[in-house]
Amino acid sequence: MPAQTLPTICNQVTTAKTVAVLTGHWRKNSEHTEYRRLSITEELGGEFLQTVRQACGEITALAESHDLVLNEYDTGHKQDSHEIQWVKLDQVREILEEFKLVPLPVNATIFDGSAEMIDSLHHYIIVVQSQGGEPILFFRKFSPKQELGRSKGFAALFSNGQFDKIRETTFLFDARIDCIARGNFLYVLNQHNFQMIFRYFERLRATALESLSSIRAYVPIANFKAFEDSCVTHLVKLAKLRNIAQRDYLRYVKMRDLKKVIKAFHLPIEVIKEDGEERLSFDKAQPWLILNLLDDAYLGSVMTRLQYEVNSKRRLQS
């Protein structure tokens, strides 16, 4: 279970001795990530080990203060700083396929520092293993700004009382972690970077037509082509489309249910008759209205009796 696995990971990191760093490289027009291994000194390895221990220390502190919230990953949920979301890898085919590409550090080709390798550097993984334990993978998104040679300024090194320009390739690794994985579970600490590492938006584009087909099958929308065109070129709309297509309630929602929400929240969505069937009329000037309606984004507060449009919600367990 995710709640039991995460503390075990943090405990293992405190006693871990072995650390390796893999770099993930992704080129445009490439379907797969390539991995290389950094050749590092023992001292630098200690810095990476300290980074993952710091991340685990912060998680442990949240858990001990009872502030840690652990939930299953939901693409439509806006993650708070005290929240960690989990993914069961064998239930998410795309992510599982990416994991299969990650080699054991001992089998990985060494990072050679070539311009091609630097240009394609996309993320890196700190691999930690305690004696007899499973490898634990700590993912971090890499930014071109972390390669000093690519920044707008120039770097200077102070040595022996004098500054000199740094000519060698130099990287800045920070002390943050975006995801943690061990066994069949992956934990998301930074939702945006997690989506970037696993090329979430590229996968959304690939499944956009499938999501639209599901919506078209259950929800009558007039001028559907205009609705489709509005969605397929917008990443946030694509994410919302996928959320809607995966909702259990979509197949059970009737036009009368949609009309009740439109009336209750005074939404400027017109319902027209087309071929003898009532349909929602898509308005190019207000492209989010139908998306938010289908995503069940309009809520009423029991406490204040006020009505809200929300951009993030999670269903509570009854």
Side-chain angles (χ1 to χ4, degrees), residues 122-142:
H122 184 253
H123 62 272
Y124 59 92
I125 309 172
I126 305 172
V127 184
V128 174
Q129 190 166 11
S130 58
Q131 188 171 6
E134 282 187 280
I136 307 170
L137 280 57
F138 295 82
F139 290 77
R140 180 61 171 159
K141 181 72 181 72
F142 188 85

Side-chain angles (χ1 to χ4, degrees), residues 72-88:
E72 185 173 4
Y73 180 73
D74 180 352
T75 56
H77 179 68
K78 186 177 180 181
Q79 187 177 23
D80 289 323
S81 59
H82 64 281
E83 181 179 10
I84 294 176
Q85 299 187 80
W86 57 268
V87 175
K88 198 171 183 182

Side-chain angles (χ1 to χ4, degrees), residues 191-244:
Q191 188 175 34
H192 176 265
N193 285 353
F194 160 74
Q195 292 172 347
M196 296 296 288
I197 289 169
F198 290 96
R199 291 186 280 164
Y200 174 73
F201 291 120
E202 284 80 4
R203 300 185 196 284
L204 278 182
R205 286 192 184 98
T207 60
L209 294 180
E210 183 181 336
S211 298
L212 283 162
S213 295
S214 295
I215 293 171
R216 188 169 198 162
Y218 297 115
V219 183
I221 299 175
N223 50 336
F224 193 90
K225 183 64 167 60
F227 173 73
E228 178 180 330
D229 292 344
S230 170
C231 293
V232 294
T233 57
H234 195 292
L235 293 178
V236 178
K237 289 178 185 175
L238 286 176
K240 192 173 283 287
L241 268 182
R242 184 170 181 176
N243 292 343
I244 294 167

Side-chain angles (χ1 to χ4, degrees), residues 51-250:
T51 293
V52 301
R53 285 175 176 167
Q54 176 179 314
C56 285
E58 292 171 0
I59 293 170
T60 301
L62 279 174
E64 290 177 347
S65 64
H66 305 289
D67 290 321
L68 178 63
V69 176
L70 194 63
N71 283 313
E72 185 173 4
Y73 180 73
D74 180 352
T75 56
H77 179 68
K78 186 177 180 181
Q79 187 177 23
D80 289 323
S81 59
H82 64 281
E83 181 179 10
I84 294 176
Q85 299 187 80
W86 57 268
V87 175
K88 198 171 183 182
L89 296 176
D90 61 7
Q91 294 180 354
V92 186
R93 177 176 53 83
E94 298 90 348
I95 297 178
L96 182 60
E97 289 176 355
E98 179 70 30
F99 264 84
K100 290 179 180 178
L101 299 174
V102 180
L104 292 172
V106 69
N107 296 332
T109 304
I110 294 293
F111 177 86
D112 61 12
S114 66
E116 184 182 19
M117 286 289 100
I118 294 172
D119 288 342
S120 61
L121 186 48
H122 184 253
H123 62 272
Y124 59 92
I125 309 172
I126 305 172
V127 184
V128 174
Q129 190 166 11
S130 58
Q131 188 171 6
E134 282 187 280
I136 307 170
L137 280 57
F138 295 82
F139 290 77
R140 180 61 171 159
K141 181 72 181 72
F142 188 85
S143 165
K145 294 179 181 178
Q146 291 172 270
E147 204 274 282
L148 293 185
R150 305 301 170 95
S151 63
K152 291 183 178 179
F154 54 89
L157 175 68
F158 184 73
S159 179
N160 298 323
Q162 188 177 31
F163 283 96
D164 191 12
K165 181 180 178 180
I166 296 178
R167 294 174 174 80
E168 294 81 7
T169 300
T170 306
F171 296 109
L172 290 175
F173 295 97
D174 58 26
R176 307 305 303 169
I177 296 297
D178 297 321
C179 321
I180 304 173
R182 194 198 71 172
N184 196 34
F185 288 104
L186 179 141
Y187 298 88
V188 179
L189 281 63
N190 184 309
Q191 188 175 34
H192 176 265
N193 285 353
F194 160 74
Q195 292 172 347
M196 296 296 288
I197 289 169
F198 290 96
R199 291 186 280 164
Y200 174 73
F201 291 120
E202 284 80 4
R203 300 185 196 284
L204 278 182
R205 286 192 184 98
T207 60
L209 294 180
E210 183 181 336
S211 298
L212 283 162
S213 295
S214 295
I215 293 171
R216 188 169 198 162
Y218 297 115
V219 183
I221 299 175
N223 50 336
F224 193 90
K225 183 64 167 60
F227 173 73
E228 178 180 330
D229 292 344
S230 170
C231 293
V232 294
T233 57
H234 195 292
L235 293 178
V236 178
K237 289 178 185 175
L238 286 176
K240 192 173 283 287
L241 268 182
R242 184 170 181 176
N243 292 343
I244 294 167
Q246 292 177 337
R247 302 290 188 195
D248 290 337
Y249 61 71
L250 186 63

